[in-house]
Amino acid sequence: MTKAELEAYRRQLLALRDRLTKDVNHLTDEALGKGGIGSDNLSHMPIHMADLGSDNFEQENTLSLLRNEEERLQEIDDALERIERGTFGRCEECNQLIPKARLKEIPYARCCVSCARKLEQGLRP
Ligand SMILES: [Zn+2]
């Protein structure tokens, strides 16, 4: 992979990380219920049991979303580290080059498609 290509992936990863960090901050606020405070819709705060119920459900959703996004942020950080180390773009399992089409779609992919599939199935490649 050329330096220019690596730089392009690095920029893509940084932009993605930036966006995800903002999402995570927003979701954290939401999960903590900070959303409406300080705004002018305080009078619409839920007080009925039914509303509280759906609120909890939404909070659950927000929390699982948050966990996913945090995992993805970790993947991105790891990918940036691989760029620094010069191992970016190689499958961590079989050491083959990861196809560019895959990296374009998932720039933080750590395995080639066939290894990723095997790992998903819980098998060692
Ligand atoms: Zn592989």
Side-chain angles (χ1 to χ4, degrees):
M1 200 176 291
T2 67
K3 267 198 153 120
E5 279 174 320
L6 270 180
E7 185 56 28
Y9 284 122
R10 202 171 70 90
R11 246 179 269 143
Q12 200 184 340
L13 284 163
L14 287 173
L16 203 57
R17 186 169 70 164
D18 205 46
R19 211 179 64 206
L20 273 175
T21 306
K22 281 190 191 116
D23 272 9
V24 165
N25 287 340
H26 177 75
L27 285 170
T28 307
D29 281 356
E30 216 166 84
L32 295 174
K34 281 183 189 166
I37 293 172
S39 63
D40 59 0
N41 63 358
L42 270 179
S43 57
H44 300 301
M45 291 287 272
I47 46 164
H48 301 297
M49 284 311 283
D51 288 342
L52 286 175
S54 72
D55 244 36
N56 282 339
F57 178 72
E58 264 169 41
Q59 200 175 27
E60 279 294 302
N61 265 343
T62 308
L63 286 176
S64 77
L65 254 177
L66 200 54
R67 271 193 295 269
N68 284 346
E69 307 253 287
E70 275 173 350
E71 271 169 30
R72 203 131 62 100
L73 270 176
Q74 185 59 53
E75 293 292 315
I76 292 169
D77 277 344
D78 287 355
L80 286 166
E81 209 185 296
R82 288 198 294 279
I83 290 179
E84 295 302 319
R85 284 202 313 250
T87 59
F88 180 84
R90 274 197 186 274
C91 175
E92 288 191 337
E93 297 294 335
C94 66
N95 213 31
Q96 297 295 310
L97 284 176
I98 299 172
K100 277 177 191 164
R102 176 164 167 77
L103 285 175
K104 210 171 177 184
E105 208 177 313
I106 315 169
Y108 48 86
R110 51 174 82 233
C111 299
C112 68
V113 183
S114 68
C115 288
R117 202 169 293 151
K118 283 174 196 158
L119 285 173
E120 259 171 41
Q121 290 166 352
L123 304 166
R124 300 303 300 170

